Every structure is written in C-alpha cells, then in structure tokens.
Amino acid sequence: MDQANDPNRKSWISVKEDSDFPIQNIPFGIYQYGSNEPVVATRIGDTVIDLSSVAILGYFDGLNITDRGVFRRSYLNDFISLGKPVTNAVRDRIAEIFDETNEEAKNDERLKEKALIPVKDVNMLMPVKVGDYTDFYSSKEHATNVGTMFRDPENALLPNWKHLPVGYHGRSSSIVVSGTPIHRPKGQTKPADSDQPVFGPTKLFDFELEMAFVTGKSTKLGESVSTAQAEDYIFGLVLFNDLSARDMQKWEYVPLGPFLAKSFGSVISPWVVTLEAFEPFRVDGPKQEPEVLPYLQFEGKKSYNINLEVYIKPEDTDEHRVCHSNFKYMYWNMAQQLAHQTVNGCNINVGDMYASGTISGPEPGTYGSMLEITWKGTNPVKLSNGEERKFILDNDTIIMRGHSKNENIRIGFGEVSTKILPAN
Ligand code: CA
C-alpha cells in the first residue's frame, strides 16, 4: 500500500470533517500567488502547499529528483514525466512531512512561512498542458438515452457500442480550468420547422458530467498499451465538464461525430487526484455482454466508486442540485479505453487527457446532462428559487463536485465551476 493511503494517518494541518483533501489525498496542481511565477502544489484541508519551497528546504532530498526546477513550472507535465516511482515517493514523503507525529516539520517555522498558503489566497491554474484530448462515450445509460432521443428508441445503441469504447478526438486548446467563464457559442442549427440552417447563439446549451484521466507516460508510434499495463500509464483524474450545444450538435454530427458543438470550452477541476489515492475505492464495473474481444478483456476491479453531483446556480441565488451520479456506472473502464486508444499503434504523451463521456446512471435523478434530465426540454427542472430550466441560461453557473467515501476516509476533487456568459 502507498504510505500516503494509510487511513489512520492524521495531519498537523487542520482538515475539516467533510473535506475532500485529507492527508490521504495529496493531489497535484499548479497555483499562483499574486503575480509570482506558477508553482507545483498539493493541498491538505484548506491549505495549499508550495512544493518548490518544500523542495528548497530539503524535504525531498534522497528521492532521486535530478531536475531541481521541476516544481517551479507552469504545468505538471515535467513532474509527471518523472514517472510513478518518483511521483508516488513524493506523495508518500508529503504524507510523512505533514503527519501529526512529525515533530521536526511541525515545528519548522520556515516550512510554515514559505510553503503553506490558505487556499482562498491563491489562484489555481490549468494543471497540465494538454497535448491530445479524446472524449469517449462510455456510459450505456447515456448512450441509450441520447440514441433514443436523437435517433430511434428501438435501436438506441448502435451495433458497435458494446464491442468497443466509442470516442472521438476533441480539441485540447479549449480545455480550461475551473473558474474560467465561457461565452454561449454561436453556430449553425437547423430548426425543425425549416428546411434551411440558420446561424446564431445556441438555444440548447448543456453540460456533460464527466471524469477525465491524464496519462503519465508516453509510448512510441506503433506501440500499444494493454489493459494490464494501463494503470501504469494513468497518472490521475480530474472532474470534466464537457460543455455542449445540442442544437448545433444535432445538425453537424453526422457522419463524423461532434465538432463545433463541443469545442468551445471544456472545464476541469484544478487538482489532479492520483489513481493511487482512489485505490481503496475500486469496484467491479457493469457486466459486459456480449463478451468483448481479447484486447479489451481485463482482470480485477477496474472501476471506481466516485460520487458525482451537478448544481446549477442562477445569478444571485443559491445553487440547486440537478444530478447525482457515480463513476462506477461506466460500462467501459479507463483501462479498456486506453487499450482501445492505442491498439492501432497510436502513440500517447504525458499530459494527454481522456474524458469518460457523460456519466449517467440508471434512474432519472442520475442523468448527467440537461438533455437527459429534462428529456430534450419536455420536462423542465424546477430550481429552488422557483425558476425553471430546460437548458442552461446566460449567467447560470454550473458546478460539479466529486468524491469517494468509506468509513475511514473521503477523497475528492473539490469542484469545477464555470459561469456561462451571453454570446459574444
Ligand atoms: Ca462528452
């Protein structure tokens, strides 16, 4: 077991009872204080820990980190590139430094002064430089709901769906960090009562509740990653809000899949939680029938029990929960997705991002998009302030949260939040 995962460990940094960031989490992100240079950081409770300062004070000595500036970078890519033996050792060392039994660190005034900053005082930046981005479509419930609405209830899942993790290559340039506002996109749509397309702001603005994993190891062109090797290539996870314009999507997606309806902004949570931190929350995924081809078969528990929620917050009112789902509902797991992505020899790089696809559960309250929650707008959601929503309106803020919890610990992401602004 990773030392950092020890459920009995407590930190000398205070952690609130319901915090997503106990000492067992130790996620990685990039923070900025004022106009200073961006720095690699972790977080315990509501305290951000500057890892560059921790390194300068000598606490990482002996961990074989030859690149001395690796914590003073604008992205995590170079740190992640050190490889899991090093990054997991850093995670374990952080757990030791901030363990309540560590009297030396607890009484080190320089450490407290130079490395610890209240989270409210910092800006969290984009954690990784995303090279390539893939969006999968791996929730059976979501694919069935969308197939039923957009095409044919009798044949909601297309013939390939249970044989391969369907996906498309997305746009990495417009993946942004939580807190970044997004303008309502403009584009072509074709109204039902017209035989010609029209141009204008989308009328059907939606979110998609997703998770994404970040790869931590590269492959050469021609190489493949098996399901057994996949976890070694997955550094960690973020929450992923894949914003979508449904009317644009419906008109443009045949035959090559989503294009401009998805590329105007996707928003991620700022802390990359390592795959290792979720080790206690492994579960079996849904049974796959028919049996999948050998390169997609796997052994062991490859799904994770992570509770997910979506809230809508209209301007000047309280947030309202519109969905609660779980990462464990995914039909295709991350190991299968990565094995499929690389089976043709496509190479991958450190910092690439792979989104799960909308994570819908079996019941209406667990659907991960407004398209499904309101069933194309036919069944509006009533918010706590009395307003109704069929889709997202200008000045609404969309907030997603995610965490795993057992009797001992809670590991989470905090949140990913984005305000929707009127069309430019
Ligand atoms: Ca998506």
Side-chain angles (χ1 to χ4, degrees), residues 126 128-136 167-177 182 208 210 212 240-244 252 256-268 341 351-355:
M126 193 59 195
V128 287
K129 175 92 181 147
V130 183
D132 279 303
Y133 158 52
T134 295
D135 192 18
F136 286 99
Y168 67 95
H169 287 116
R171 183 84 192 166
S172 54
S173 65
S174 54
I175 301 177
V176 293
V177 74
I182 300 288
E208 290 190 331
E210 305 194 22
F240 194 99
N241 180 356
D242 187 22
L243 296 169
S244 301
E252 75 175 6
L256 289 186
F259 191 38
L260 304 187
K262 305 275 189 172
S263 63
F264 59 90
S266 301
V267 194
I268 64 167
Q341 176 83 59
D352 290 351
M353 198 162 271
Y354 306 78

Side-chain angles (χ1 to χ4, degrees), residues 135 208-212 238-240 242 355-359 400:
D135 192 18
E208 290 190 331
L209 170 61
E210 305 194 22
M211 307 260 324
V238 292
L239 297 172
F240 194 99
D242 187 22
S356 58
T358 308
I359 305 166
M400 296 178 176

